[in-house]
Amino acid sequence: MFEPNKPRRSDVPIEQLPEQMQSELWHMIFMRPLKGLPLTSPQRFNFFKNPNKTLSVVHSQVEPHFSDSVTAPYVEAYEKVPFPSRIYVYDTGEELVMTLTQKN
C-alpha cells in the first residue's frame, strides 16, 4: 500500500490547495516509512491557518495510529488561499488519490 511508484491523482482544486502544497503533502506521506511506520489508507491532513501568518498541517492515520504536525510561515501568495480543513489520500490499489471527500 502507498508505493511511491503508483500513479498519483489529485481531485483537490489548486485554488484551494496550490500544486506546491500538494507536492509537499505527497512528500510527507512518503517520509513516514523512513521513520519506521507503515502507511495505511486513508492518510489525513488537517489545515489550520493561524493569525500569525503560519500554516499548521497535521498528518495522521488510524491504523496503526500516528499523528504528526508541521507549522511554518506561509508565503504571501497563500494569504488568500482558502485551504480546506481536511484532505484525504486514499490508495485505491491502482493509484493514489488526494481528495476532499471521506470515503466509507
Side-chain angles (χ1 to χ4, degrees), residues 27-92:
H27 178 74
M28 287 175 74
I29 289 171
F30 294 113
M31 289 302 295
R32 296 308 309 172
L34 299 177
K35 295 179 180 182
L37 291 171
L39 295 173
T40 58
S41 190
Q43 298 288 298
R44 294 185 307 256
F45 293 92
N46 291 302
F47 293 85
F48 304 94
K49 209 171 189 183
N50 306 312
N52 61 352
K53 297 192 183 212
T54 60
L55 180 68
S56 296
V57 179
V58 178
H59 176 200
S60 64
Q61 74 180 22
V62 177
E63 281 296 326
H65 176 75
F66 80 79
S67 181
D68 198 3
S69 66
V70 170
T71 298
Y74 56 79
V75 296
E76 189 176 325
Y78 290 173
E79 183 85 36
K80 295 183 178 161
V81 174
F83 289 96
S85 59
R86 182 175 281 179
I87 286 179
Y88 302 90
V89 179
Y90 291 93
D91 186 331
T92 68

Side-chain angles (χ1 to χ4, degrees), residues 15-32:
E15 297 80 27
Q16 287 188 292
L17 190 67
E19 286 184 66
Q20 175 64 36
M21 284 295 297
Q22 292 186 27
S23 295
E24 292 294 329
L25 297 185
W26 290 117
H27 178 74
M28 287 175 74
I29 289 171
F30 294 113
M31 289 302 295
R32 296 308 309 172

Side-chain angles (χ1 to χ4, degrees), residues 2-18:
F2 279 96
E3 294 90 4
N5 58 344
K6 281 188 181 174
R8 301 175 194 171
R9 176 171 56 89
S10 176
D11 295 338
V12 181
I14 59 171
E15 297 80 27
Q16 287 188 292
L17 190 67

